[in-house]
Amino acid sequence: MAKKKLNEVDQVATLKDSEHIMVRMEGGAIGWIKKSDLYPVASKDINGLLSSSIFKTLLYYKGTYTGDLNDLTESGYWMTNSSIANGRFNFGTILVLNTYYILQIQSYAVSSMLAYRTSVDNGKTWNEWKTMS
């Protein structure tokens, strides 16, 4: 019997796209889930998993940041250079975690130094940079 069921599963067509997905619920009942309801959790591309609200603070590289760090409230990490404003170091990397309370961590490319600061009002005001070496 189990072998017969496995053979039936092997014969199911693989679809590239579908409006609904059939699921077997507890107790053996069959149900349907809209693909759009699963997409943000199931997708692994930049427009799915990484942009879903569940993973809003998931970090990925965003390029070189050249503006004012007081305005940088989006989660991610960037390279920085001498064109940034309100940073602790000119060259290095900036890491930002935003869960409404924001943590910025900046590294200095030339030595083993880190600095961090926080904002408790979503970037309207910032605490002073604290440096670690």
Side-chain angles (χ1 to χ4, degrees):
M1 179 84 165
K3 189 170 186 163
K4 182 180 177 191
K5 287 197 182 268
L6 285 176
N7 287 337
E8 289 173 6
V9 171
D10 288 340
Q11 294 173 8
V12 172
T14 302
L15 300 174
K16 299 267 186 213
D17 200 5
S18 177
E19 189 68 28
H20 291 83
I21 298 168
M22 185 174 71
V23 295
R24 182 171 300 209
M25 298 183 290
E26 195 172 321
I30 301 295
W32 296 93
I33 298 175
K34 288 170 91 176
K35 183 179 107 177
S36 61
D37 291 342
L38 285 177
Y39 180 73
V41 176
S43 175
K44 292 183 181 176
D45 67 274
I46 198 74
N47 293 318
L49 180 66
L50 296 179
S51 64
S52 74
S53 60
I54 295 171
F55 298 100
K56 200 183 331 187
T57 60
L58 194 61
L59 302 174
Y60 53 97
Y61 178 66
K62 306 224 177 152
T64 300
Y65 189 80
T66 58
D68 188 336
L69 291 185
N70 287 346
D71 299 330
L72 184 57
T73 59
E74 177 185 357
S75 292
Y77 64 97
W78 293 259
M79 299 303 295
T80 59
N81 58 37
S82 61
S83 65
I84 64 167
N86 292 306
R88 176 63 181 90
F89 313 118
N90 287 334
F91 296 94
T93 303
I94 182 80
L95 169 71
V96 180
L97 300 172
N98 184 341
T99 58
Y100 185 81
Y101 300 107
I102 303 170
L103 170 66
Q104 287 184 340
I105 302 171
Q106 192 178 17
S107 70
Y108 186 46
V110 179
S111 66
S112 301
M113 293 182 71
L114 291 174
Y116 71 94
R117 69 178 182 168
T118 57
S119 173
V120 297
D121 55 8
N122 205 26
K124 291 182 181 108
T125 61
W126 290 93
N127 294 312
E128 293 296 317
W129 285 101
K130 307 281 191 241
T131 304
M132 303 173 283
S133 57

